[in-house]
Amino acid sequence: MKASKHSPRALLCSVLLSIPLFGQAETVNWANWLTGQISKHPEVLAATEQAAARKEDAEASEQPLYNPELSVGADRTGSENNFEAGLSQTIDWSDQQGALQEKAKLIRLSAQAGLSEAVLTQTSESLFALVEWRATTLFEEIAESQQQRLDALLDQVEQRQQAGDLGRADAELLFLNLSRQLSEVAQAKAAVDRAETQVQERLPDWRPQDGGIPEYIWPALESQIGEADLLSHPSIAVARAEWQVLKSEAEVARRKATASPTVGLSGGRDGGENVVGLTFSIPLNVRNNYSAEIRAANRRALEAEARFQALYRKQQYDLAGARASWKRYDKQLRRWKELSQGRVQRSADLLEKQWQVGDLSTSEYLQALGQRAESLKTGIELEKLAQLGLIELLSQSGELITPFQ
């Protein structure tokens, strides 16, 4: 089935496509996969039904206010059969329907913005989960690699100890490091298990072999993040639409306070004579002029406006904070890459050679291996924070998801 212009899939298909990307064909394929997964999430399905219900409310609001009324009566006087039939219609004198039709347009905008907000939230959380999963898997790889290296080192230490090249203290020191590493591996694997469940909760068909976010998805330059019009951000659009809906409700209340007359036309027979009648009635709003309802509706509209302004202001600061945070992490990540330049990857073999020839003691070697592992973890952590920061920035700016025009 072809997705409608404003369906969740149409909204989701723009995920990440609003960002300048490399490998456009691969990007589209991955984005389509992501859209299919997110569209299956119960939160998005619930938001879709909620939006559909609100659109039905809008359609109901557009319907005519008053239906015509048909009246029929009959009686018998002596030998004469009398009857009367009439038709009456209440007139929308103050054009309440015009105000309700305007309200219906705003309800549709609010419904669409609410759906976009749900999709944006689910998209952000899904990408966050994928980034976290990738980082935990890399941490696990480092922990396992460190354990394998210590296992191999233990065999060498035992051989050199038998040869009299090393003392018993070296073996005990290595045993203590290996014991601690076993705990670290277990914690790393548990973290991966938790991260996997988080991704699977958000992306129903995802499996670990599907991997994380492909590298070609990430923008390469800071300049590719432009200023966003926050009024189009789904959260801001929801608040603004709700304010406008309440504002239109205040206008409906004002017009409703104006009395609507009813005109009727009837005809029949009475005492053998044809009779025709015309009626006109209008409520007299003397005991209740509905001014309290008008004031209450105006107050609700003012409250919604203030909440919209507060949220808009907060979003501006949140966006500025997210941009500053991402720039900070991205800068440090670039600096770490400049410093490492493959040195961390090559250092393990170099350290082992120095230990073999006696340039490093066993304790120094173990300490250096630990520092190397920490350096690798630092790089992974910085990359994770930079990626999370970018996702947060795109989420706060509303660029993460842009409906098709």
Side-chain angles (χ1 to χ4, degrees), residues 35-200:
T35 63
Q37 293 300 299
I38 293 177
S39 63
K40 295 179 182 180
H41 196 279
E43 290 289 345
V44 175
L45 294 176
T48 303
E49 294 303 322
Q50 183 182 51
R54 296 207 65 190
K55 290 176 181 178
E56 295 297 336
D57 290 337
E59 184 176 347
S61 183
E62 291 175 322
Q63 302 306 309
L65 286 175
Y66 306 111
N67 285 311
E69 294 185 9
L70 176 66
S71 61
V72 177
D75 61 53
R76 183 178 179 83
T77 305
S79 60
E80 297 291 337
N81 292 321
N82 305 319
F83 68 89
E84 182 183 23
L87 188 67
S88 62
Q89 174 68 58
T90 300
I91 301 173
D92 183 11
W93 194 259
S94 59
D95 192 23
Q96 293 181 51
Q97 188 176 7
L100 288 170
Q101 287 175 341
E102 183 63 27
K103 175 184 173 182
K105 295 177 183 177
L106 297 169
I107 289 176
R108 288 190 176 92
L109 290 176
S110 176
Q112 189 61 35
L115 177 57
S116 297
E117 184 179 32
V119 171
L120 175 61
T121 299
Q122 201 59 39
T123 302
S124 300
E125 291 181 355
S126 298
L127 295 179
F128 283 148
L130 285 171
V131 169
E132 188 67 36
W133 172 81
R134 180 178 181 275
T136 58
T137 56
L138 292 177
F139 283 139
E140 179 189 27
E141 289 177 6
I142 292 174
E144 288 186 328
S145 175
Q146 188 79 342
Q147 178 181 332
Q148 292 171 2
R149 190 171 291 276
L150 290 176
D151 283 333
L153 182 60
L154 182 60
D155 293 336
Q156 295 182 46
V157 167
E158 289 176 346
Q159 293 175 6
R160 293 180 62 179
Q161 185 181 4
Q162 292 176 359
D165 192 19
L166 291 175
R168 182 174 178 79
D170 294 278
E172 293 298 324
L173 183 60
L174 181 56
F175 171 76
L176 294 175
N177 277 267
L178 184 56
S179 299
R180 184 176 61 223
Q181 192 62 32
L182 291 174
S183 174
E184 186 171 333
V185 169
Q187 294 179 43
K189 289 183 176 295
V192 170
D193 292 337
R194 289 192 298 269
E196 283 184 4
T197 59
Q198 291 297 312
V199 178
Q200 289 169 342

Side-chain angles (χ1 to χ4, degrees), residues 201-328:
E201 188 276 325
R202 290 167 175 82
L203 305 174
D205 299 329
W206 178 89
R207 296 295 178 267
Q209 54 266 29
D210 295 327
I213 303 173
E215 288 299 319
Y216 51 76
I217 292 296
W218 302 106
L221 301 174
E222 175 186 339
S223 60
Q224 292 173 334
I225 303 301
E227 291 293 332
D229 179 10
L230 286 182
L231 288 177
S232 63
H233 189 285
S235 298
I236 303 301
V238 168
R240 189 166 186 259
E242 290 299 329
W243 163 42
Q244 295 294 332
V245 167
L246 290 174
K247 188 177 178 181
S248 67
E249 286 183 356
E251 177 62 20
V252 171
R254 187 187 68 79
R255 297 188 186 187
K256 188 177 180 181
T258 301
S260 297
T262 301
V263 178
L265 179 65
S266 62
R269 291 183 65 83
D270 187 4
E273 299 290 334
N274 294 328
V275 295
V276 176
L278 179 65
T279 61
F280 177 84
S281 65
I282 185 170
L284 300 177
N285 295 343
V286 292
R287 300 186 66 188
N288 183 2
N289 60 8
Y290 302 101
S291 59
E293 286 84 346
I294 297 174
R295 291 195 302 271
N298 284 328
R299 292 291 185 181
R300 282 191 287 270
L302 291 173
E303 176 193 0
E305 181 183 12
R307 292 187 183 280
F308 158 67
Q309 295 291 353
L311 182 61
Y312 183 57
R313 181 175 182 272
K314 180 178 181 296
Q315 194 68 32
Q316 290 175 313
Y317 283 99
D318 287 346
L319 176 59
R323 179 171 283 111
S325 178
W326 171 70
K327 285 182 178 180
R328 181 70 64 185

Side-chain angles (χ1 to χ4, degrees), residues 354-371:
Q354 290 182 313
W355 175 71
Q356 293 282 5
V357 298
D359 290 342
L360 286 178
S361 65
T362 302
S363 61
E364 290 173 334
Y365 179 35
L366 292 174
Q367 183 180 7
L369 285 179
Q371 291 174 342

